[in-house]
């Protein structure tokens, strides 16, 4: 049975000079609205904190509905900050030049700000933190629109009335449907995000598609994620190949170049020189290349797993805590979180079963043969075990004498969560 899923296609756009200037203005407008909305939100919160008496604050915390008429009037004067109230405030103070911009940018930007504040109260978010003001120097600028149509394989952007009138008065005709270098996979779009990187414009189009489940294979697999490599029953896949290490060496080199160019004669120098900008562009290009290589490896590997196996067991690691350790750089480059994210949505798409091992499941310390868990001085670390002088990739059980590769033993322990009978097959 087919299932309707939400997908996103990212395509590069072909823009004329007039449309490119208009898109540049929309990027600036979106950044302007975000900063204005964030400033308004903070002012509304500060006013509510200062003007409301402590007794009324206590009632609101306890959700006491018995409010007096004076208290209700005070709450109307000092509304609680939310994206609807911020949007209303911005529209009431709208300038004349803003009529030439898409009105949906204001609403969508305020909605994004509201989601950002909701994520601030959820520390489990991968990019947790307080919303910040946007900078025009950021390498990536963009905006959103939910009034996009696909006409004859092109993207038709909504044209504001005032802009249409202005173009007729000035007898200009640079407005056109936007083409893309890649064929579009959809005929209807829900939301479209436009962004600019390194002088090129891209569109991320969100659409719905019917996906048929993959055929059943009756196979089960488990994946143990490690720094620089993933291990499974099939063997090992290298997440940090040599070509990627060369890119990271290039990144380190350009970082050293930029550091030298920031200091001249022992003092901080200006960072607007041509050579500085050229080195910064090369650094960003190297980061983009490294990101593309990593995501390509993870995407192909996750697709292979959902194609060939019905049940997959992976680890649910505390990535944030691991990034605080000595192997933080390797953890960051190994894309543990991205691997888990892709496995979760691909398993849902194609009707496969995904089992997440608990964060405290001792897959590395547990013996796959007898189930004994190493503790205290027998505990295995990244450097092995100092008491028994074992290597970092060696597992020896001192209860039953079982020996195996450390990562292979962890894979078998993860496999036991899906089907314990399969473990003995691979051990023997």
């Amino acid at each position: 049975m087919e299932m309707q899923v939400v997908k996103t296609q990212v395509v590069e756009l072909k823009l004329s000079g007039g449309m490119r200037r208009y898109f540049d203005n929309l990027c600036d407008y979106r950044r302007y609205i975000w900063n204005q909305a964030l400033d308004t939100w903070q002012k509304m919160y500060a006013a509510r904190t200062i003007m409301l008496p402590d007794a009324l604050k206590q009632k609101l915390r306890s959700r006491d509905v018995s409010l007096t008429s004076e208290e209700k009037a005070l709450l109307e004067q000092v509304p609680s900050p939310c994206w609807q109230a911020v949007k209303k405030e911005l529209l009431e103070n709208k300038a004349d030049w803003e009529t030439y911009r898409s009105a949906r940018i204001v609403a969508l930007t305020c909605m994004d700000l509201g989601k950002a504040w909701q994520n601030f109260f959820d520390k489990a978010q991968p990019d947790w933190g307080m919303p910040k003001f946007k900078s025009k120097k950021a390498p990536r600028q963009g905006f959103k629109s939910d009034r996009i149509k696909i006409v004859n394989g092109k993207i038709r952007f909504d044209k504001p009335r005032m802009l249409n009138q202005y173009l007729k008065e000035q007898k200009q005709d640079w407005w056109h449907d936007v083409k893309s270098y890649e064929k579009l996979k959809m005929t209807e779009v829900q939301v479209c995000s436009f962004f600019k990187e390194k002088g090129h414009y891209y569109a991320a189009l969100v659409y719905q598609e019917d996906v048929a489940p993959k055929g059943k294979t009756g196979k089960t697999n488990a994946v143990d994620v490690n720094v620089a490599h993933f291990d499974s029953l099939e063997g090992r896949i290298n997440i940090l190949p040599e070509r990627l290490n060369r890119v990271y060496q290039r990144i380190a080199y350009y970082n050293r170049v930029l550091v030298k160019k920031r200091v001249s004669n022992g003092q901080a120098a200006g960072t607007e020189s041509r050579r500085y900008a050229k080195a910064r562009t090369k650094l960003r290009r190297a980061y983009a290349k490294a990101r593309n290589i990593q995501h390509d490896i993870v995407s192909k590997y996750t697709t292979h797993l959902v194609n060939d196996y019905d049940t997959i067991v992976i680890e649910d690691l505390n990535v944030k805590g691991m990034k605080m350790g000595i192997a933080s750089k390797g953890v960051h480059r190994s894309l543990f979180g991205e691997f888990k994210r892709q496995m979760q949505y691909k398993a849902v798409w194609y009707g496969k079963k995904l089992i997440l091992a608990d964060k405290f499941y001792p897959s590395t310390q547990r013996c796959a043969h007898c189930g004994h868990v190493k503790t205290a001085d027998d505990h295995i670390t990244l450097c092995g075990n100092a008491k028994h002088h074992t290597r970092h990739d060696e597992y020896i059980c001192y209860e039953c004498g079982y020996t195996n590769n450390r990562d292979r033993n962890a894979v078998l322990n993860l496999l036991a969560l899906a089907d314990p009978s399969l473990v003995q097959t691979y051990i023997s």
Side-chain angles (χ1 to χ4, degrees):
M1 181 179 179
E2 292 186 348
M3 182 179 62
Q4 198 172 53
V5 299
V6 178
K7 289 189 174 183
T8 303
Q9 183 185 10
V10 180
V11 295
E12 185 178 352
L13 304 178
K14 299 179 181 179
L15 298 176
S16 64
M19 289 297 290
R20 179 175 291 273
R21 288 190 295 271
Y22 184 70
F23 273 43
D24 290 340
N25 292 334
L26 289 182
C27 290
D28 295 338
Y29 184 54
R30 200 266 181 184
R31 184 178 64 250
Y32 167 80
I33 291 297
W34 174 278
N35 293 337
Q36 291 292 323
L38 181 56
D39 182 64
T40 303
W41 191 297
Q42 292 177 347
K43 289 180 179 178
M44 293 175 66
Y45 179 80
R48 191 177 180 86
T49 304
I50 296 173
M51 296 183 63
L52 294 185
D54 294 338
L56 181 55
K57 291 180 184 178
Q58 185 63 30
K59 284 186 177 181
L60 295 176
R61 293 192 193 99
S62 60
R63 297 186 179 182
D64 188 358
V65 295
S66 59
L67 301 177
T68 63
S69 57
E70 292 80 6
E71 292 174 339
K72 293 181 180 179
L74 182 59
L75 290 177
E76 291 180 359
Q77 295 178 2
V78 190
S80 175
C82 62
W83 75 266
Q84 294 93 338
V86 172
K87 171 191 168 185
K88 181 179 178 182
E89 184 73 18
L90 294 179
L91 292 178
E92 290 177 352
N93 301 318
K94 194 173 183 179
D96 294 338
W97 61 269
E98 296 184 54
T99 56
Y100 295 97
R101 308 289 183 263
S102 176
R104 294 301 301 164
I105 291 182
V106 179
L108 294 176
T109 303
C110 293
M111 290 175 64
D112 289 343
L113 180 61
K115 293 177 183 177
W117 277 113
Q118 288 181 358
N119 295 337
F120 172 66
F121 295 100
D122 183 11
K123 291 187 178 182
Q125 295 293 328
D127 52 350
W128 175 81
M130 184 179 294
K132 299 179 181 179
F133 291 97
K134 304 292 184 182
S135 171
K136 64 180 180 180
K137 295 182 180 180
R140 179 167 177 168
Q141 305 286 344
F143 60 93
K144 281 184 179 180
S145 178
D146 57 355
R147 293 183 179 177
I148 299 297
K149 295 182 179 179
I150 306 299
V151 181
N152 298 326
K154 302 177 183 178
I155 301 175
R156 177 165 294 178
F157 197 76
D158 61 321
K159 185 191 295 186
R161 289 183 182 178
M162 293 296 295
L163 178 61
N164 190 28
Q165 181 179 353
Y166 172 79
L167 293 178
K168 289 182 179 179
E169 293 176 355
Q170 300 295 324
K171 297 181 180 180
Q172 298 181 9
D173 191 22
W174 47 261
W175 190 275
H176 62 85
D177 294 343
V178 180
K179 297 181 182 179
S180 62
Y181 287 96
E182 184 180 349
K183 184 178 179 181
L184 301 181
K185 300 179 181 179
M186 76 297 294
T187 56
E188 295 183 358
V189 180
Q190 295 178 333
V191 180
C192 184
S193 298
F194 299 90
F195 59 93
K196 181 181 180 181
E197 281 188 348
K198 296 183 293 185
H200 299 271
Y201 269 101
Y202 302 87
L205 301 107
V206 180
Y207 64 101
Q208 291 185 346
E209 183 180 69
D210 293 332
V211 176
K214 298 286 185 180
K216 298 297 182 180
T217 62
K219 297 180 180 179
T220 303
N221 200 351
V223 182
D224 177 57
V225 295
N226 298 277
V227 174
H229 59 86
F230 292 171
D231 292 273
S232 67
L233 296 177
E234 298 177 334
R236 175 170 295 181
I237 177 175
N238 191 6
I239 299 298
L240 298 177
E242 183 60 31
R243 60 190 177 116
L244 186 57
N245 289 328
R246 288 196 297 266
V247 176
Y248 279 120
Q249 290 175 5
R250 200 180 309 159
I251 289 173
Y253 168 74
Y254 289 135
N255 275 319
R256 291 194 298 269
V257 170
L258 289 180
V259 169
K260 292 179 181 179
K261 292 183 181 299
R262 290 193 188 105
V263 179
S264 178
N265 296 328
Q267 296 181 353
T271 58
E272 299 301 327
S273 65
R274 289 186 179 181
R275 292 184 178 181
Y276 183 89
K278 187 176 180 179
R280 183 179 56 190
T281 302
K282 290 181 178 180
L283 176 63
R284 291 174 179 172
R285 187 185 300 127
Y287 270 119
K289 186 174 183 179
R291 182 178 66 250
N292 293 337
I293 293 174
Q294 288 178 303
H295 282 264
D296 180 68
I297 295 173
V298 174
S299 180
K300 290 180 179 178
Y301 185 57
T302 53
T303 301
H304 163 70
L305 289 174
V306 296
N307 283 337
D308 293 357
Y309 298 97
D310 292 343
T311 305
I312 305 104
V313 186
I314 64 173
E315 296 177 289
D316 186 15
L317 300 175
N318 182 16
V319 179
K320 286 187 176 180
M322 295 174 65
K323 287 183 179 180
M324 303 299 292
I326 59 175
S328 60
K329 184 182 293 185
V331 171
H332 178 76
R333 294 178 178 178
S334 297
L335 297 182
F336 292 167
E338 179 65 16
F339 173 73
K340 173 187 170 184
R341 185 187 71 86
Q342 291 193 20
M343 285 301 304
Q344 284 179 323
Y345 76 76
K346 288 183 180 180
V348 174
W349 282 5
Y350 301 117
K352 299 303 177 76
K353 182 179 180 181
L354 180 68
I355 300 177
L356 287 177
D358 188 79
K359 293 181 180 179
F360 302 102
Y361 180 68
S363 60
T364 303
Q365 311 299 330
R366 183 178 181 271
C367 175
H369 185 263
C370 67
H372 174 72
V373 179
K374 292 180 178 293
T375 57
D377 294 339
D378 294 337
H379 195 274
I380 302 176
T381 64
L382 292 176
C383 302
N385 184 269
K387 177 181 177 182
H388 301 285
H389 304 286
T390 57
R391 300 188 305 270
H392 70 282
D393 60 345
E394 185 180 13
Y395 186 90
I396 301 176
C397 180
Y398 299 101
E399 295 292 323
C400 65
Y402 170 75
T403 61
N404 201 345
N405 179 274
R406 165 182 169 168
D407 298 325
R408 181 72 175 181
N409 178 74
V411 170
L412 296 178
N413 285 322
L414 293 173
L415 185 65
L417 297 177
D419 191 352
S421 61
L422 292 176
V423 178
Q424 298 302 323
T425 303
Y426 286 99
I427 290 177
S428 58

